[in-house]
Amino acid sequence: MEKLFSYGTLQLAQVQLDTFGRLLEGQADILQGYLVGEVEITDAAVLKSSGQRFHPALIKTGLATDTVTGTIFTITLEELAKADSYEVDDYIRIAESFSSGINAWVYVAKG
């Protein structure tokens, strides 16, 4: 199983149903060293699922005082591939360590 941190639209029930065909289970966690910016979404399927033209996007600051709260979901490798398809090209998936000590994938802004 894979761990995936969501701080944005992947926490929405409709996005989970559209992307994974089920509601995900997870636990709250905190990522240090990042702030939340945003990207404009132009992908029609993503716009329809989320209902939001602008999605949050993490920007690395490296400062311990900058934190982002979200949820770490446990998903399958197949579901991780579906998450990759959902996220637009403005994001990249990286591995990070969280306040709980869990290591998980997270999508951050390219740049």
Side-chain angles (χ1 to χ4, degrees), residues 33-77:
Y34 286 84
L35 289 175
V36 179
E38 65 181 17
V39 297
E40 184 173 5
I41 302 300
T42 58
D43 182 283
V46 174
L47 281 168
K48 181 180 180 200
S49 185
S50 74
Q52 299 177 21
R53 182 173 156 207
F54 293 94
H55 285 198
L58 292 184
I59 300 164
K60 187 169 186 142
T61 66
L63 302 174
T65 53
D66 293 335
T67 61
V68 176
T69 59
T71 305
I72 293 182
F73 294 112
T74 301
I75 60 174
T76 66
L77 194 54

Side-chain angles (χ1 to χ4, degrees), residues 3 5 29-34 58 60 66-68 72 94-106 108:
K3 300 288 187 188
F5 180 73
D29 215 325
I30 299 170
L31 178 60
Q32 290 184 316
Y34 286 84
L58 292 184
K60 187 169 186 142
D66 293 335
T67 61
V68 176
I72 293 182
I94 63 169
E96 280 289 358
S97 183
F98 293 81
S99 292
S100 65
I102 293 173
N103 292 318
W105 295 110
V106 60
V108 301

Side-chain angles (χ1 to χ4, degrees), residues 58 90-92 108-111:
L58 292 184
D90 297 308
Y91 297 93
I92 57 170
V108 301
K110 278 187 181 176

